[in-house]
Amino acid sequence: MSDVLDQLAKVLEQRRTAEADASYVASLHKAGLDKILKKVGEESAETIIAAKACEAGGAKSDLVYETADLWFHSLVMLSHLGLSHDDVLQELERRFGLSGLEEKASRGQ
Ligand SMILES: N=c1c2ncn([C@@H]3O[C@H](COP(=O)(O)OP(=O)(O)OP(=O)(O)O)[C@@H](O)[C@H]3O)c2ncn1[C@@H]1O[C@H](COP(=O)(O)O)[C@@H](O)[C@H]1O
């Protein structure tokens, strides 16, 4: 399944130099980081609302849909700043097997 992330990352990279009127992602890059961060914030809020609705018996598919929107806009944010899902996956891999409590203690918090 991470194939789709690799493919999407390539498309997002191409969109950094594409015409904004023919592509949603290119229009976000053209609008700039603040617009992209506004979308990440909106999609975060929509994901939270969908999770609460899901807990209350709402459709799981709505939560999946909103989380996909959040992931997508986060990927655009990373791409805008010269990063990709690979950088995040490497960090998760580094953390794998390390207890969150131990990691927090190692930071002295
Ligand atoms: N995965 C996505 C994807 N997920 C969500 N979206 C878009 O993200 C937007 C979500 O924002 P909202 O729901 O808030 O909709 P909106 O009100 O129209 O948005 P605003 O006007 O407020 O910005 C919608 O326009 C969706 O179509 C996506 N747009 C593109 N992709 C991928 O990116 C690729 C490149 O897209 P283009 O750059 O448009 O060719 C596509 O082939 C897809 O693989």
Side-chain angles (χ1 to χ4, degrees):
M1 282 295 272
S2 78
D3 267 7
V4 72
L5 290 178
D6 292 338
Q7 288 171 18
L8 184 55
K10 282 186 192 138
V11 173
L12 298 185
E13 186 57 34
Q14 289 161 1
R15 294 299 194 259
R16 289 176 75 180
T17 52
E19 288 296 327
D21 52 2
S23 153
Y24 175 68
V25 176
S27 75
L28 285 177
H29 285 306
K30 188 177 178 201
L33 182 62
D34 285 1
K35 170 70 179 176
I36 296 169
L37 295 179
K38 186 165 176 277
K39 294 304 298 178
V40 171
E42 284 172 15
E43 302 305 346
S44 299
E46 285 169 17
T47 300
I48 290 167
I49 291 165
K52 290 301 288 179
C54 185
E55 185 187 44
K60 289 189 174 178
S61 56
D62 288 351
L63 177 55
V64 171
Y65 186 94
E66 295 301 345
T67 304
D69 273 354
L70 175 59
W71 284 20
F72 167 70
H73 285 90
S74 299
L75 292 171
V76 175
M77 174 192 70
L78 290 171
S79 171
H80 192 78
L81 295 169
L83 295 162
S84 81
H85 64 288
D86 269 338
D87 298 286
V88 179
L89 291 179
Q90 276 174 31
E91 175 61 17
L92 288 174
E93 197 168 18
R94 185 189 69 76
R95 295 180 192 178
F96 190 77
L98 178 65
S99 151
L101 295 177
E102 281 171 26
E103 189 275 337
K104 196 170 184 177
S106 76
R107 283 190 272 132
Q109 292 177 9

